[in-house]
């Protein structure tokens, strides 16, 4: 997930996202400087990254089929075997496996190689289900984090200014941000960690079972189907023993006295161990490249009327995820916004 070839796709998508935000043409539903909800546009951007990994190509933001998929994901359309999503994936499964560039191509090659093996897992059904899982696991999580990040940056303008000032000084205004820049902008890295800690979007991870005797404190959870095991990741991210004053958004907690990035072992938004999030490196790439690209080009603000929007999260309908409250924001092209905030 963290490969250079994937980084190139994320970098390209970050540029498309910035262009989309900046477009002024009438056919778009918003004009620069006028307020818009970032929900759908973020979902499009991160779904496009998954599309390019799974199918090799991305889709136009205003294309017909793509918005259907992204709004389904966005509405927590949790029936993952929905006929509509299956159609979308099936239409793209018939690709030429002679030039493997994406997940679908590699999977089809293995299907071909294992054709004679009745036990093979490389079956079309598994291909479709895995692709759907990648969309569902990788879209709402990353786009909610981005959306929370934008909200926090709009609310805490001085932090936004500070991040932008570092990007401006270290990465510059013309060079497109790359992952190799991350080590040179520790404040931005700290801010992204703090967004993830504060947003706490997967507070109980995903459902687990114990498969062997496992002592946890004074408990011995029974093995098998009867006992659901949830990891209280959110409690760790909010634990005052590890994060002083956890209710405050404070990127500096991830920096040492010299301003260098400081790790914290309790930072576990992706869980830990063998089954930690498969998309961790990809998600970290998306958060860094999309946030820096947008802040390099825009100032994020909101209308005076909305200044009271609080940061209290909403629970998702199924109750195991967290999403930010709804809000609208304005983006001002950098030149304008820069004088404003410098
Ligand atoms: C900010 C973004 C993300 C967060 C906070 C997040 C968080 C998590 C968490 C907490 C788990 C459960 C780990 C466990 O079993 O204990 C998980 C699993 C998973 N995530 Fe993510 N995730 C994110 C992005 C992604 C992306 C971009 C992808 C894929 C492209 C992805 C794919 C998966 C998959 C496939 C699993 C199941 C792994 C397994 O069962 O072995 N996630 N994620």
């Amino acid at each position: 997930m963290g490969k250079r070839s994937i980084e190139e796709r994320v970098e390209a998508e970050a540029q498309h996202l910035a262009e989309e935000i900046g477009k002024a043409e009438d056919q778009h539903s918003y004009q620069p400087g006028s307020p818009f909800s970032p929900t759908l546009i973020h979902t499009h951007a991160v779904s496009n990254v998954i599309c390019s990994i799974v199918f090799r190509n991305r889709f136009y933001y205003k294309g017909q089929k793509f918005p259907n998929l992204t709004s389904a994901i966005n509405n927590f359309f949790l029936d993952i075997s929905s006929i509509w999503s299956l159609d979308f994936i099936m239409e793209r499964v018939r690709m030429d496996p002679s030039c493997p560039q994406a997940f679908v191509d590699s999977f089809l090659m293995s299907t071909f190689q294992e054709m004679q093996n009745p036990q093979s897992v490389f079956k079309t059904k598994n291909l479709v289900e895995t692709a759907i899982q990648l969309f569902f696991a990788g879209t709402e999580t990353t786009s909610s984090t981005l959306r929370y990040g934008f909200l926090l940056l709009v609310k805490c303008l001085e932090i936004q200014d500070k991040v932008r000032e570092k990007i401006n000084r270290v990465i510059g205004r013309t060079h497109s941000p790359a992952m190799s820049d991350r080590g040179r902008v520790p404040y931005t890295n700290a801010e992204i960690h703090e967004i993830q800690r504060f947003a706490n979007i997967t507070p109980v991870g995903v459902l687990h079972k114990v498969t062997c005797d496992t002592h946890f404190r004074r408990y011995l959870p029974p093995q098998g189907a009867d006992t659901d095991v949830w990891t209280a990741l959110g409690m760790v991210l909010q634990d005052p023993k590890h994060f002083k004053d956890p209710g405050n958004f404070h990127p500096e907690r991830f920096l040492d006295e010299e301003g260098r990035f400081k790790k914290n072992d309790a930072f576990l938004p992706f869980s830990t161990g063998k089954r930690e999030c498969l998309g961790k490196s990809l998600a970290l790439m998306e958060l860094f490249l999309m946030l820096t690209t947008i802040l390099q080009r825009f100032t994020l603000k909101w209308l005076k009327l909305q200044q009271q929007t609080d940061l209290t999260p909403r629970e998702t309908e199924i109750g195991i995820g967290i999403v930010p409250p709804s809000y609208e924001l304005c983006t001002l092209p950098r030149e304008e916004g820069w004088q404003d905030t410098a």
Side-chain angles (χ1 to χ4, degrees):
M1 284 290 179
K3 286 185 177 162
R4 176 72 197 139
S5 60
I6 289 189
E7 185 186 339
E8 281 165 11
R9 297 170 207 226
V10 182
E11 273 174 30
E13 197 56 47
Q15 295 300 330
H16 287 297
L17 173 66
E19 275 158 33
E20 196 63 20
I21 287 179
K23 269 184 186 160
E25 287 88 358
D26 286 345
Q27 71 263 31
H28 290 275
S29 50
Y30 48 86
Q31 304 278 332
S34 62
F36 68 97
S37 160
T39 306
L40 221 49
I41 198 170
H42 283 156
T43 312
H44 286 178
V46 294
S47 311
N48 248 340
V49 171
I50 311 270
C51 276
S52 80
I53 293 170
V54 173
F55 308 122
R56 157 191 357 176
N57 51 332
R58 61 180 296 279
F59 296 86
Y60 290 112
Y61 285 40
K62 302 281 169 185
Q64 271 216 314
K65 294 228 158 181
F66 192 45
N68 279 344
L69 177 71
T70 50
S71 55
I73 293 168
N74 221 55
N75 293 330
F76 311 110
F77 196 78
L78 284 167
D79 178 9
I80 57 162
S81 59
S82 104
I83 300 201
W84 194 88
S85 312
L86 276 176
D87 278 356
F88 182 87
I89 309 263
M90 283 305 285
E91 275 171 30
R92 283 153 187 85
V93 161
R94 292 177 219 100
M95 286 186 170
D96 177 10
S98 58
C99 172
Q101 285 179 21
F103 173 77
V104 163
D105 304 319
S106 302
F107 199 106
L108 287 176
M109 274 178 71
S110 304
T111 309
F112 183 71
Q113 282 157 6
E114 297 200 6
M115 217 141 59
Q116 308 304 332
N117 174 7
Q119 309 299 324
S120 172
V121 293
F122 294 104
K123 303 271 192 262
T124 312
K125 181 174 175 285
N126 273 350
L127 168 55
V128 173
E129 282 184 7
T130 311
I132 291 176
Q133 299 265 355
L134 287 176
F135 274 102
F136 278 86
T139 301
E140 186 53 33
T141 43
T142 315
S143 65
S144 288
T145 309
L146 272 177
R147 207 154 81 241
Y148 230 130
F150 274 40
L151 176 62
L152 289 161
L153 291 172
V154 168
K155 190 92 180 173
C156 311
L157 276 178
E158 69 295 346
I159 294 179
Q160 186 187 145
D161 289 347
K162 208 163 166 182
V163 174
R164 188 181 295 100
E165 190 270 321
K166 309 278 182 208
I167 295 173
N168 187 40
R169 194 154 41 84
V170 178
I171 304 179
R173 299 178 64 161
T174 47
H175 156 80
S176 300
M179 286 312 282
S180 51
D181 294 319
R182 190 168 60 168
R184 301 192 299 138
V185 283
Y187 189 82
T188 310
N189 197 13
E191 169 243 8
I192 292 171
H193 277 69
E194 181 65 349
I195 289 171
Q196 282 207 272
R197 188 200 67 78
F198 190 94
N200 181 24
I201 57 153
T202 47
V204 288
V206 298
L207 181 59
H208 286 269
K209 307 258 177 226
V210 284
T211 54
C212 58
D213 280 350
T214 309
H215 289 269
F216 178 69
R217 296 188 181 153
R218 58 198 171 87
Y219 300 99
L220 181 64
Q223 286 179 42
D226 293 338
T227 313
D228 293 345
V229 178
W230 296 95
T231 43
L233 302 175
M235 285 177 73
V236 184
L237 294 177
Q238 305 290 326
D239 187 340
K241 272 203 307 251
H242 300 289
F243 300 103
K244 200 174 153 224
D245 201 5
N248 263 345
F249 182 67
H250 186 57
E252 279 78 4
R253 68 173 88 247
F254 287 101
L255 294 173
D256 68 12
E257 292 76 30
E258 266 97 60
R260 287 179 302 224
F261 181 74
K262 184 175 74 180
K263 276 192 178 165
N264 184 324
D265 289 342
F267 178 76
L268 295 175
F270 298 102
S271 192
T272 185
K274 277 189 186 165
R275 299 301 291 266
E276 79 167 358
C277 174
L278 177 100
K280 178 177 170 180
S281 321
L282 173 63
L284 290 173
M285 232 179 220
E286 291 180 295
L287 294 175
F288 179 75
L289 294 174
M290 291 188 180
L291 272 159
T292 47
T293 303
I294 299 303
L295 289 182
Q296 189 185 41
R297 290 172 58 170
F298 299 99
T299 299
L300 312 177
K301 289 199 158 183
W302 58 21
L303 294 174
K304 284 207 169 61
L305 276 178
Q306 291 185 315
Q307 275 173 358
Q308 295 315 315
T309 299
D310 74 12
L311 298 172
T312 316
R314 289 192 290 132
E315 265 195 15
T316 57
E317 277 155 33
I318 46 164
I320 59 164
I322 281 185
V323 288
S326 308
Y327 67 98
E328 289 195 328
L329 82 161
C330 310
T331 49
L332 302 177
R334 241 311 274 297
E335 285 69 24
E336 246 174 272
W338 185 244
Q339 290 155 14
D340 209 297
T341 53

